Structure formats: structure tokens, C-alpha cells
Amino acid sequence: MEVQKYSPALYLAAFIAALGGLLSGYDTGVISGALLYIADEWQVNSYMQGILVSSTLAGAAIGAISNGHLADIFGRKKILIYTAVLFFIGSIFCAVSPNIILLIISRFIIGIAIGVVTFATPLYISEISPEKIRGMLVSLFQLAITLGILFSYLINAGFANIQHGWRFMLLCGILPALILGTGMLFMIDTPRWLVSKGKNEEAARALKKIDPTIDTEAAIRNINGILNKEGEDKNSKFKFEKWMLAPLFLGIGLMFCQQWTGINTIIYYAPTILKLSGFSSNSTAIYATVGIGVVNCLMTFIAIFLSDKAGRKPLLYTGLIGMAICLFILGGAFQFQDILGENLKWIAFSSALFYITFFSFSLGPIILLLVAEIFPLKFRGLGMSISTMSNFLFNFTVTLSFLPLINRLGENCTFYLYGTIAIMCLFYVYFMVPETKGLSLEAIEENWIKHTRPRDF
């Protein structure tokens, strides 16, 4: 992989933007530990706990869909700065909330920021990245998410035995928000967006910062060429074309696969699952969850190093098969808990650990990478925001239904359900998902315009 020719400014811009993933991961994971103490302090029932967790997802869905077109109008950079401000304000409001209602509203604000950053960061990174290392750089976003989740677990453990410690858990998100907002002030906007707005001189400067050896005139001509094939002048109003339905439905389908295989039941409710399996106390369950966070982070490096070599689909195949096996083992462990006795908690912990292992190098980073690659330039911000909104709607339904499903169906049938969906998603990936390894964003768009079947890209 020829990475040495690219400018340090490229890696710096990708790193700063990826901090959005750190914030998303932190605010996603931190509630898993804080929830145990909030429930005890305010005597919150399981229904209100579900609303508290799901309020973030409702905000994320609104944040995603309401800001996609704004990213196409005002640029990717400004949207990321605006998101950092939302994270900062929301974290403070969460920490000082005097009751569960205001905490739910504060988490909703955090959710809006998560929704924006989940499409805006991969969008930004994919548009500044050369195709040879695009998989690696966009996967930095998922790595940052896992680091944020691990950071949240460590913070949870650090404040686990402190009075009102959950307030400090929720407050700590202000630091990465400050770094993201400040850092993005000094970053470039994406050359592709600049060209789409007719800012060719700025785009040429941005391209040179990314790759000093690039032929900027040829690159800009290539981007303009694909805009013309969309049938539009670069300054004209966007018009949706029928062929754009294919990448749009694909983006939504990929997000279904990522969420309805149960990942956020593990991320949000890992301590709760471990307590159900036999871990004795809140703090013990939280400490065990840190191990899951470490594995989640480390295994993401596989995607970073292999997505541009092995390809996207082989990693998805491997991950889905492994996740399905782990979910069926987890369901079986709960079904035969009377026989397993004390061993149940270790089987549950191991199953969750291996499940996260398989997810971390497959559906976690690769789905976000694919969604950042498949949309045409003029529709990319809006298309990614629609896909991201569907992600959080699927996430919302999974998260809100998890505890009721356990109460109604039992732990075993609930995990069997997620395992069955993982098998269905395996066939979906085989038949419906294109391999984008080594293709430029313009080449991917050309395939859609020609109505090429995804399997034949």
C-alpha cells in the first residue's frame, strides 16, 4: 500500500475528523454504566430506562436527516464544527440535569450531534481520501468509535464508586468536543464538495495539500465530468434521478444489517446482560464490560489494515458468520442456564466478547465505509444522512425493544432472533452489496449510472 506519497495534512485532517467518532462512541457507551446508577438514584423503572437510552437514538435520527442537505450546501467542515458545539452543550446539560425528564432532553441533544457526526465524518474522510487508502482512513472513524466506547467504559469504572459519579461520567464528553471543534477550524474542506460548488481554485489547493504529486487539473476535470453525467450543471439545483434509488436502498439495507444483528444490545446493555447471567454487582459488571471495550477497539485494526487488501465483502462474510454463531451460543447458554449454573456468566461473557470481536472488523467499520462510498457526489450528503437516519431508527427499535423482548420471549429466544437475522444478512451481502475495493468514488458512481448490478461492479 503506497501511503508514503501522501501529505501529512491528509492524515491530520482524517485524524481530527475521526474525533467525531470518539464522541459518538463515548456518548453511546457511557450510558451503559451510568444507567445502573441513575436507575438506583431516581428509582427509574425499565420502561423509563428504555426511553432514556432511546432518546439519544431519536435525536440521532433527527440530526441525521435534518443536516444532510445542509452538508451539501454549507460544506462538510462547517457541519463538523457545528456538531462539536452540540456535543459540548449536551454534555454539560446531562451532567447538571436535576431529574429524569431533563436528562432525557439533554440526551436527545447529544443524540442530534451523534446523528450528524455519524454521516458527516465518514463523508468528510471519504471525500479527502485517495482510493488506495480510502478504506483505511474511513475505518479510522470506526476505530475512534471503539476508542470512545472503551474510554466511556474506563470512565464508568473510574467513577463507579463515587457519589453521583454518573454525572461525571456524562460530563467527560466535553474534552473531545473541544478538540474536534477547535481542530476542524484549521482543516481543509473536501475537494469534491468545493468542485461541486464551482470553487475550483480552492479545490486545487486542497488537492495539493492531500497529495503534492497530484495533477489537480485532471482531478478537477474528472470530478466535473461525473457531475455532468448526472445531467446537471454544478451550480444547478439538485434533481433526484431514478438510478439513485439503488444506492439509497442499499444504504438503508446495510444499516439494517448493522443494527438488527444486535450490536447495541451489547453496547448499551452489556452490564445489564452480565448481571442477568450472574455477575453479582454493578461495579463487577462494569469492570467486565471494560474487557469487551478493549477487544472492540483492538479488532477494528483488522479492518483498517485489510479493507483495502482483502476487500469489503470478505470481511463482512467472516464477521456475520462469527456473529451468528456467538448469538446462538449466547441464546443457548440462557436456555440451559439451570444446567450451566455458575458457568452461565462466563459463557455469556465469552460469547459477548467474541461477538464484539467479529463485529469490530466487519459490520462496524465496513458498513460505514460502504455507505460513505456508494452515493453520487451531488446526492452524497443527503444520501448518507438518509442512511444514517435509518441506522438510528433501526437502532432505536432494537434498543427500545430489547428489554421488553427479554421479558416477553426470554433471553434465549431474543438472542436466537438476532442470530437468525445475521444469517439473513449474510445472503443480502452476497447478492446485493458491491465490492468497492480499489474503485474511485467517480468509478462507483459510473457503475450506478450504467445500471450495473452491484455484484458486477
Side-chain angles (χ1 to χ4, degrees):
M1 191 181 299
E2 299 178 24
V3 298
Q4 69 278 2
K5 71 176 184 178
Y6 301 117
S7 166
L10 168 64
Y11 301 104
L12 178 61
F15 172 78
I16 294 295
L19 287 175
L22 185 73
L23 280 160
S24 178
Y26 182 83
D27 283 300
T28 297
V30 72
I31 197 64
S32 66
L35 185 62
L36 299 175
Y37 298 96
I38 293 167
D40 289 343
E41 182 173 330
W42 286 341
Q43 299 299 302
V44 179
N45 60 32
S46 61
Y47 176 74
M48 289 301 291
Q49 289 180 50
I51 291 177
L52 174 59
V53 174
S54 302
S55 64
T56 308
L57 305 177
I62 291 173
I65 194 60
S66 63
N67 288 275
H69 196 48
L70 295 180
D72 287 331
I73 295 173
F74 297 109
R76 294 39 167 146
K77 172 181 172 178
K78 288 180 181 177
I79 286 293
L80 285 171
I81 294 171
Y82 148 76
T83 305
V85 174
L86 274 185
F87 272 117
F88 186 86
I89 294 172
S91 297
I92 293 175
F93 284 1
C94 285
V96 301
S97 293
N99 55 55
I100 188 65
I101 299 301
L102 289 178
L103 181 58
I104 288 171
I105 294 171
S106 300
R107 289 289 295 175
F108 180 83
I109 294 172
I110 288 284
I112 292 174
I114 291 175
V116 178
V117 82
T118 302
F119 82 82
T121 296
L123 171 60
Y124 178 86
I125 297 176
S126 71
E127 288 193 344
I128 66 170
S129 301
E131 56 266 22
K132 289 183 179 179
I133 58 170
R134 189 174 63 239
M136 179 185 74
L137 292 183
V138 176
S139 294
L140 287 176
F141 175 66
Q142 179 63 26
L143 175 63
I145 290 177
T146 64
L147 284 170
I149 292 171
L150 176 58
F151 180 45
S152 75
Y153 289 165
L154 293 172
I155 291 294
N156 286 348
F159 290 110
N161 296 310
I162 296 177
Q163 187 177 17
H164 305 305
W166 64 266
R167 295 185 182 275
F168 295 101
M169 296 175 189
L170 299 176
L171 180 64
C172 286
I174 63 172
L175 182 58
L178 275 173
I179 299 173
L180 172 64
T182 305
M184 285 306 300
L185 288 172
F186 301 97
M187 296 298 108
I188 58 172
D189 214 323
T190 72
R192 288 177 170 89
W193 178 80
L194 290 168
V195 171
S196 74
K197 296 301 176 183
K199 301 179 179 181
N200 289 358
E201 291 185 6
E202 290 182 49
R205 290 195 294 270
L207 285 165
K208 278 294 184 183
K209 284 186 178 180
I210 292 169
D211 180 2
T213 66
I214 196 171
D215 182 344
T216 57
E217 289 186 6
I220 291 172
R221 190 163 55 248
N222 190 28
I223 296 170
N224 274 319
I226 203 69
L227 287 173
N228 292 334
K229 285 184 180 180
E230 290 179 15
E232 299 182 25
D233 179 79
K234 59 177 171 280
N235 294 315
S236 66
K237 186 178 180 180
F238 170 74
K239 183 176 70 174
F240 190 87
E241 301 285 345
K242 186 177 179 180
W243 62 266
M244 295 178 185
L245 287 172
L248 180 60
F249 286 140
L250 175 60
I252 294 171
L254 288 169
M255 293 306 193
F256 175 87
C257 293
Q258 188 186 66
Q259 292 304 319
W260 265 99
T261 46
I263 179 57
N264 280 312
T265 64
I266 304 296
I267 298 300
Y268 290 129
Y269 294 112
T272 302
I273 294 169
L274 294 178
K275 285 195 73 178
L276 287 171
S277 69
F279 283 85
S280 57
S281 67
N282 290 350
S283 57
T284 302
I286 287 176
Y287 295 146
T289 305
V290 172
I292 294 175
V294 171
V295 170
N296 189 20
C297 178
L298 293 178
M299 296 308 294
T300 306
F301 282 100
I302 293 178
I304 290 176
F305 292 114
L306 290 185
S307 60
D308 289 315
K309 291 183 177 179
R312 285 54 159 155
K313 293 180 73 169
L315 292 177
L316 290 177
Y317 294 146
T318 306
L320 281 166
I321 292 170
M323 289 164 62
I325 292 171
C326 292
L327 287 165
F328 282 113
I329 291 174
L330 187 56
F334 278 106
Q335 182 170 354
F336 299 105
Q337 57 186 303
D338 293 338
I339 298 173
L340 293 172
E342 185 71 14
N343 292 322
L344 170 63
K345 65 182 181 182
W346 299 114
I347 295 174
F349 175 71
S350 300
S351 299
L353 200 65
F354 280 104
Y355 171 90
I356 287 290
T357 298
F358 285 106
F359 178 88
S360 298
F361 66 77
S362 60
L363 269 71
I366 300 302
I367 294 296
L368 295 176
L369 169 58
L370 283 167
V371 171
E373 294 176 322
I374 60 175
F375 289 106
L377 177 55
K378 282 244 174 174
F379 183 53
R380 192 165 293 143
L382 183 58
M384 286 190 67
S385 72
I386 292 172
S387 298
T388 304
M389 180 197 69
S390 69
N391 180 293
F392 287 110
L393 289 177
F394 294 138
N395 191 339
F396 179 85
T397 56
V398 172
T399 304
L400 192 60
S401 64
F402 177 63
L403 293 179
L405 279 174
I406 283 181
N407 292 332
R408 180 68 63 89
L409 303 178
E411 293 90 345
N412 58 328
C413 289
T414 300
F415 290 114
Y416 288 154
L417 172 64
Y418 297 141
T420 302
I421 292 172
I423 293 173
M424 293 168 58
C425 290
L426 184 65
F427 287 98
Y428 179 78
V429 169
Y430 178 76
F431 288 106
M432 302 302 296
V433 177
E435 177 57 73
T436 57
K437 181 189 76 170
L439 295 176
S440 70
L441 297 180
E442 288 71 37
I444 294 169
E445 185 168 343
E446 182 84 16
N447 276 288
W448 291 123
I449 293 173
K450 292 180 178 179
H451 302 283
T452 306
R453 290 192 312 173
R455 289 182 61 193
D456 296 332
F457 271 30

